[in-house]
Each structure stands twice: as C-alpha cells, then as structure tokens.
Amino acid sequence: MAWHLGLLVSLLVVFSSGFTEATTTRRMDDFISAVERIEAENPGLQMLDVVKGLRKVAGFETNLIKHHLGDLSDARDLVTDPSVISYLSKVIKHSISQLGEEEGVVLTLDGSNVALAPMLLGLEAGLQSTIQSLYPLTLTENLVASFVHHANNEQSSIPLGTKGFWDSIKSPKVYTLSGLPSLATDALIIGGIDGLILGSEFATSDLRELSLSDLLKSYYSYQLNAAGLDAAPRLITRQLLFAVVQAVTVRRNLNESERKRLDDVVNEGFEEFVHVYAGLNGVLQLSSVLPPICLSVPYLFIHHTYRPANPCTTFEQCASEMRSMQRYHQQTNGWSDIGYSFVAGSDGNLYEGRGWNWVGAHTYGYNSRGYGVCFIGDYTSTLPSTSAMNMVRYDFTSCAKNAGRLSSSYSLYGHRQATSTECPGNAFYRQIQTWERYQVKR
C-alpha cells in the first residue's frame, strides 16, 4: 500500500513539474492545454466564467475594458497550481520590452502569431452580447492609436503591422520584433481579428455550451491533410479574414471632432490595413539584404521544387522545407539567400524568399525583371492544392498589382519557357496555361 501511495505522489509531482516544463513554450497548443487544466480543476464553469477568470489572472483591466465589459468584481478565482497561474499571466498579458520582445503572443499551427489579449476580449464581448464593444476592444483602438502615433513619429515608427521572429519554431519561447515598431503589431492585429470573428460568432449563435478549450481547438488546432486547405473547415482564421475586414470601419469609433482632425491619417492607415490584411496577409518573411529590383515588375514565373516531392500541409513542415531550401541555396549554390521571390506552401501561407524588392535567382535572364513563385512539391503528374494555386493566381497577383510591385500588364510564364527544364512539371504547366496573363511566347 505504501508503495502504491509513493508511486501516486511521484506521479503527481511529475505531472505538476511536467506541465511547468511543457508550457514554457509559447504555442497556442500550450495555452489550450493550460485552459483544459483550468476547466478540469474548476468543474461547472461556463465559458464566460473561464474567459473572465483568465482576464483576472492576467490582470488587465483598463478603463476602456471596464467601460465595455465591466469590472472584474464578479470574476471567479480560478483554482489550479501556481505554475499554471504564472504561465497564464505571462502568456496572456501583452507588452513589448525595451529589447523589442513582444510578450502575450503565441504561435499557432498555421504559422500565425496571435496576441491572446484582444482575442479573449473579443470573445468576452461576444459572450456578453455587447456587439458595440467588439471593434474598440479588438481592433480599432489599437489601429487609431498607432496611426496617430506614426503621424507624429514618421521617422521612428510604422503605422501598423510590425512583424517579428521566434527563437525556435518547434519550441518557441521568445518573439522579437523586427524593423520599426508600431502600436498595432502584426500579432495584435491578428489577435484582434480573431477576437472579432469569435465574438461575432458567439453574439449571434447558440454555441455557449462549448468549453473554451474545445472552441480554441476547433479554431486553431485543425490539422490539414494532403489536400491542404481544400479540405479544411471554414472555422479557421485565414479563411474568414477577408469577409471580416470588409466590415471594419475605423471611423465609426471616432467622435466628430476626432474624425475631422484624424481623417487623413486614419484613411491612409486604414487603406494600408485593408491592403495588408485583406489582400495577402499570409506572407511569412525570411529575407536578407540583396540588390533591389526595379518596380513594377513585368514578368511572373511559376516554379515547383520537384524535391521535396510531397507538398507541405502544416506550418512546421513548410517552415522546415524553407530552412532546408535556404541552406541549399546558400551553402551549395553560394547565393545570398533563397533564390525564389516567394514560395507557396499547401498550409495556406506564402513564404518570402527574396521578396518584393530584391533581385532573385530563379529564372536566368529575368531575375532583375521578374518575380519567381515556387510551389513546394513535384507537380509532374499531379496539381498543387486548389487553395495554394488560387492564393498565387488571384490573391498574390491582385495584391502585387495593387501595391505597384507587379505591372498591371504583367506576363506569366512557366519556368521551362525561359530555360531547358521540366519545371514547373507537366501537369502544373498545363494548368497555368489557363491562368490570366499566361503568354505562349517570351
């Protein structure tokens, strides 16, 4: 009996310390695991109780939040191990250190960086059926503040969307911002959009019997199969983004005097917001300093990797393939960076190689005059997923033309039309011959 009791105590110690070790990383799955533990140790709590309890744990209760959601006097105390409370407090509360490290951000399976605070605030507003609170709590206050700040500090800030990079993809712990700062970082905006989507859903539907962990799993933890996004459910962030952004009107949250004073600033900033987050939001950056390309570019070349032959359907897989590609292009080919301008994965993301502004190494004779977009996989006898093709065929080209990167009269070619190669594969080449702007001859 004593042996069994000792084993039980040992298992409890391992479980507690194991949780602490496992949740030192900043993945959405880690946060969901912590929420599951909260729900298991606090039976009978409704989703709203858990969301308010998490806000209480994180200690964020500004005047704006109290105005829209009330104070936390009636919030339940969540009973759990102190290590869980400590983790939740750190992972939810948003802040930026002097070193440019952004706290309160987690990495999702699709490679998005999500600030948890605006997502949870939007969800709480929806659960309380305070529709008018959704915009200021999730998006507009941060956007307007950032636009105004940038107008007064043009040399030292950007209006929105400062991106960053993780210290590790498999075990992310530190998220560091790159480039000039903004008061509306990329993670804050994505978290706000998610909060707006989830809050709107719960304010207009009868789904409140779900647990918070089940909701977050259905929204963030869907695993793509070989069909990629073609077979994914609608309740994932990137698929719903476009419809949501169209509904956002920043100026409706400004009073009359503010509207007149800030009209130009907000208009300019909001146009950029729509362009970036409703146009082509899924570009993940991996670029370095290279010779600049002359805009607007007249040519677009389509490639495939051939090896690896299989498409990547998760962010982790695609990120690994991108790193392998980068090592090969740099160490074997001796290039400065990935040769392609962009690389399309079947996980819903378009990855940046040389990017918009730099000369590539993808199509001999056209590197300084064209973009090269490569699809991960061998498409000799099969096609990329429809979602991946549409991302490049429609979203990428529209975004590139609207931004002045790609000429409105650009010509589209397969790689084989410029050199002796089978790229982008026989099946895929037949497909791109049906795309807009495809040209038979160079």
Side-chain angles (χ1 to χ4, degrees):
M1 182 67 177
W3 180 83
H4 288 292
L5 181 60
L7 177 61
L8 176 61
V9 171
S10 298
L11 288 173
L12 288 174
V13 170
V14 169
F15 177 77
S16 175
S17 61
F19 177 86
T20 304
E21 180 181 354
T23 52
T24 56
T25 60
R26 298 296 193 260
R27 299 178 302 183
M28 179 62 77
D29 284 352
D30 296 324
F31 174 67
I32 295 174
S33 295
V35 171
E36 283 185 304
R37 178 160 175 175
I38 290 290
E39 292 167 342
E41 297 179 349
N42 297 265
L45 293 185
Q46 300 296 313
M47 190 190 302
L48 179 58
D49 296 323
V50 176
V51 173
K52 292 187 71 171
L54 291 174
R55 180 156 65 90
K56 188 174 184 178
V57 164
F60 59 101
E61 189 180 18
T62 65
N63 290 333
L64 175 71
I65 295 172
K66 287 192 287 186
H67 172 74
H68 289 283
L69 299 178
D71 58 36
L72 289 170
S73 58
D74 62 340
R76 299 281 293 272
D77 289 319
L78 302 178
V79 178
T80 188
D81 187 272
S83 65
V84 182
I85 296 295
S86 175
Y87 167 76
L88 289 170
S89 176
K90 292 178 181 177
V91 81
I92 293 174
K93 192 169 185 179
H94 185 268
S95 65
I96 299 175
S97 74
Q98 292 184 341
L99 298 176
E101 296 175 358
E102 188 172 10
E103 298 287 346
V105 176
V106 295
L107 177 64
T108 68
L109 283 177
D110 72 351
S112 302
N113 302 302
V114 176
L116 290 174
M119 182 271 287
L120 291 171
L121 288 174
L123 181 56
E124 185 176 342
L127 289 167
Q128 293 191 30
S129 299
T130 54
I131 301 295
Q132 70 278 8
S133 303
L134 280 173
Y135 287 99
L137 288 173
T138 58
L139 283 175
T140 57
E141 292 297 324
N142 283 334
L143 287 176
V144 172
S146 189
F147 297 158
V148 174
H149 176 77
H150 174 66
N152 297 324
N153 302 273
E154 290 187 3
Q155 302 303 315
S156 58
S157 72
I158 59 175
L160 79 164
T162 302
K163 297 183 183 296
F165 56 91
W166 289 99
D167 57 335
S168 168
I169 296 298
K170 290 188 175 181
S171 181
K173 297 180 181 179
V174 180
Y175 184 67
T176 305
L177 296 175
S178 55
L180 293 176
S182 67
L183 297 184
T185 65
D186 189 63
L188 271 176
I189 293 173
I190 295 299
I193 290 171
D194 288 354
L196 185 60
I197 293 171
L198 293 172
S200 300
E201 182 72 18
F202 275 83
T204 58
S205 64
D206 189 22
L207 298 173
R208 301 183 184 211
E209 296 304 314
L210 279 175
S211 68
L212 177 60
S213 59
D214 284 341
L215 168 69
L216 296 178
K217 284 179 183 178
S218 69
Y219 193 73
Y220 289 110
S221 298
Y222 181 81
Q223 293 278 6
L224 298 176
N225 57 27
L229 284 178
D230 292 356
R234 292 296 296 174
L235 191 60
I236 57 176
T237 307
R238 306 288 77 77
Q239 292 295 89
L240 291 178
L241 175 61
F242 305 112
V244 171
V245 173
Q246 293 175 6
V248 177
T249 306
V250 174
R251 285 168 294 171
R252 72 174 59 172
N253 292 299
L254 298 175
N255 62 40
E256 197 64 34
S257 61
E258 288 175 321
R259 185 178 303 167
K260 292 178 180 178
R261 181 170 59 88
L262 302 178
D263 193 56
D264 289 342
V265 174
V266 171
N267 274 333
E268 181 180 351
F270 185 67
E271 285 180 8
E272 181 173 352
F273 170 72
V274 172
H275 168 69
V276 173
Y277 292 93
L280 192 63
N281 65 297
V283 178
L284 305 187
Q285 298 176 325
L286 294 169
S287 62
S288 59
V289 178
L290 296 158
I293 197 169
C294 185
L295 305 176
S296 64
V297 173
Y299 302 113
L300 175 60
F301 287 88
I302 302 298
H303 302 249
H304 74 161
T305 58
Y306 185 65
R307 293 287 182 270
N310 296 323
C312 57
T313 58
T314 70
F315 169 69
E316 189 168 319
Q317 288 175 343
C318 291
S320 176
E321 297 294 358
M322 290 297 293
R323 293 302 181 193
S324 296
M325 183 186 299
Q326 188 176 48
R327 285 193 297 272
Y328 180 79
H329 284 189
Q330 289 179 327
Q331 297 174 12
T332 303
N333 292 354
W335 299 342
S336 299
D337 205 337
I338 289 172
Y340 304 112
S341 306
F342 297 93
V343 180
S346 292
D347 63 337
N349 288 317
L350 189 69
Y351 294 83
E352 182 178 89
R354 299 293 174 99
W356 298 113
N357 300 314
W358 311 112
V359 170
H362 49 81
T363 310
Y364 182 76
Y366 293 88
N367 290 319
S368 63
R369 296 179 290 160
Y371 290 131
V373 178
C374 184
F375 287 71
I376 294 177
D378 174 9
Y379 300 110
T380 301
S381 57
T382 62
L383 290 175
S385 65
T386 301
S387 59
M389 289 191 292
N390 287 345
M391 175 175 62
V392 174
R393 180 179 181 179
Y394 300 116
D395 299 333
F396 171 80
T397 56
S398 176
C399 177
K401 288 189 296 181
N402 291 340
R405 267 79 168 186
L406 187 65
S407 170
S408 59
S409 58
Y410 75 94
S411 298
L412 182 138
Y413 300 101
H415 183 202
R416 63 175 60 185
Q417 292 176 270
T419 189
S420 178
T421 177
E422 295 298 313
C423 180
N426 292 335
F428 194 16
Y429 180 61
R430 287 193 295 269
Q431 173 66 26
I432 69 169
Q433 292 179 60
T434 68
W435 291 14
E436 297 75 12
R437 312 302 307 174
Y438 170 78
Q439 300 295 320
V440 176
K441 296 181 179 180
R442 288 186 284 111

